[in-house]
Amino acid sequence: SRNLYTTMDGSGDVMETETKLDLLSSLQVVLKKAIIHDGLVRGLRECAKALDRQEAHLCVLAHDCEEQDYVRLVTALCKTHNIPLVEVPKREILGEWAGLYKLDQYDRPRKIVKTSVVVVKSFGETSAELDFLLNWINTNKA
């Protein structure tokens, strides 16, 4: 999938810039929009509640989660309630994407809190990244 953006160059002519969408960058944008619209739940307890109540549209789990009980619980709840589960490589990446960090004076993320699981209860607004992510989920169902 690809997305075309139109931009203006210095002469006033319209240029088309092509960007390729991939799973992780699309997921990052979707999580940021969910944060803005107050639709993201972080932490095992809150995520387990949202999954059990079937309020979740998407669950994101870190691949390097140290507690296997967490992994088993989250995957079992997702399978039971038919909620899509996406894995990211590291807890630190997921923590940053979930907004669990402080910004330094140069607006760079510092003191990132590692998190193992987040749940999207509301996607917020639709976007090309959300369409790509939902399409990826539908084509990669087990």
Side-chain angles (χ1 to χ4, degrees):
S1 290
R2 62 182 197 182
N3 199 7
L4 292 177
Y5 293 98
T6 55
T7 57
M8 301 286 283
D9 65 357
S11 66
D13 295 333
V14 176
M15 297 173 32
E16 286 191 348
T17 308
E18 186 178 310
T19 59
K20 298 225 185 235
L21 294 175
D22 67 334
L23 178 64
L24 293 180
S25 63
S26 296
L27 185 62
Q28 181 179 9
V29 171
V30 168
L31 291 179
K32 291 291 182 190
K33 289 189 182 203
I35 291 170
I36 292 169
H37 293 279
D38 199 29
L40 192 71
V41 178
R42 298 156 232 168
L44 180 68
R45 182 180 173 94
E46 291 297 318
C47 288
K49 281 191 216 175
L51 290 170
D52 199 33
R53 293 177 187 157
Q54 299 181 18
E55 298 173 340
H57 296 293
L58 173 69
C59 181
V60 184
L61 181 67
H63 184 73
D64 66 343
C65 180
E66 296 165 352
E67 291 289 331
Q68 290 306 310
D69 292 337
Y70 291 178
V71 175
R72 283 194 295 273
L73 173 67
V74 170
T75 53
L77 285 171
C78 287
K79 280 185 182 178
T80 303
H81 300 301
N82 293 322
I83 298 168
L85 178 66
V86 178
E87 282 195 359
V88 295
K90 294 186 173 192
R91 295 182 314 145
E92 187 171 358
I93 292 171
L94 187 56
E96 182 179 347
W97 291 354
L100 299 174
Y101 59 85
K102 302 257 187 212
L103 292 176
D104 66 3
Q105 62 187 1
Y106 305 109
D107 289 334
R108 292 182 300 217
R110 297 284 185 238
K111 295 185 180 179
I112 300 170
V113 178
K114 297 176 184 176
T115 188
S116 297
V117 63
V118 298
V119 166
V120 178
K121 289 170 58 172
S122 169
F123 288 117
E125 59 195 55
T126 59
S127 64
E129 291 84 5
L130 177 59
D131 293 339
F132 176 83
L133 183 63
L134 293 176
N135 187 27
W136 184 89
I137 289 169
N138 288 332
T139 56
N140 291 317
K141 280 187 177 177

